[in-house]
Amino acid sequence: MRKAVFWVVAGLALLWNGFGLYDLYMTLTVNQDYLAQFPPEMMAMIEAFPEWRRLLWTTSVFLGVIAAILLLLRRPMAERVFWATAAAMAAGFFGYDLPFGNGIEAYGTFGLVFSVILIAVQALLALYARWAARHGLLG
């Protein structure tokens, strides 16, 4: 049963982070149909991102995908990469978006809550990877 749950969690982790990659691509390529669902304040904040913030966002998305792939490949390093993903996301959100990027207005209540959930999911996946390693599912 543990193995079946492991594969479900690993597959969901890849889907979750794969959607993050899709979101990044659609946003950075300025797909108007996709971006129409977001508030104009959020789009203005993203457009005003300094290049380092855009790079941090891109890095966190790719780290999440890499971590999920490492989990699927049953590599213990997945835990560290999930932690790095959560840290990069938190650094962007709490280190720039909220204090300097007008994040509170740009995100709105839903966006603020969802951003915290995004970070929490990566942390939970890191904890799951640790648990899986301790129970012989990784390595």
Side-chain angles (χ1 to χ4, degrees):
M1 183 67 176
R2 280 186 188 169
K3 287 185 180 184
V5 171
F6 171 81
W7 291 114
V8 169
V9 171
L12 289 173
L14 185 59
L15 284 173
W16 178 263
N17 285 289
F19 181 76
L21 185 58
Y22 172 77
D23 175 68
L24 175 71
Y25 174 78
M26 296 302 270
T27 304
L28 295 182
T29 59
V30 193
N31 183 297
Q32 294 301 323
D33 291 334
Y34 181 76
L35 298 177
Q37 66 183 317
F38 298 104
E41 298 84 7
M42 179 179 277
M43 295 316 306
M45 180 186 71
I46 291 171
E47 289 170 8
F49 274 173
E51 204 55 39
W52 68 266
R53 177 60 182 100
R54 196 176 311 274
L55 181 61
L56 184 60
W57 178 23
T58 304
T59 300
S60 69
V61 169
F62 276 94
L63 282 172
V65 172
I66 291 167
I69 291 169
L70 287 169
L71 189 61
L72 279 168
L73 293 174
R74 300 177 57 215
R75 302 288 188 252
M77 187 178 195
E79 177 192 353
R80 284 176 262 158
V81 181
F82 278 124
W83 283 123
T85 304
M89 292 171 82
F93 183 66
F94 294 110
Y96 178 80
D97 297 358
L98 294 183
F100 303 110
N102 194 31
I104 293 175
E105 291 83 18
Y107 282 104
T109 303
F110 176 79
L112 291 170
V113 171
F114 190 67
S115 294
V116 171
I117 290 171
L118 289 173
I119 297 165
V121 166
Q122 299 304 318
L124 289 171
L125 287 169
L127 292 171
Y128 180 77
R130 178 184 300 169
W131 178 89
R134 288 184 179 164
H135 288 86
L137 297 170
L138 303 182

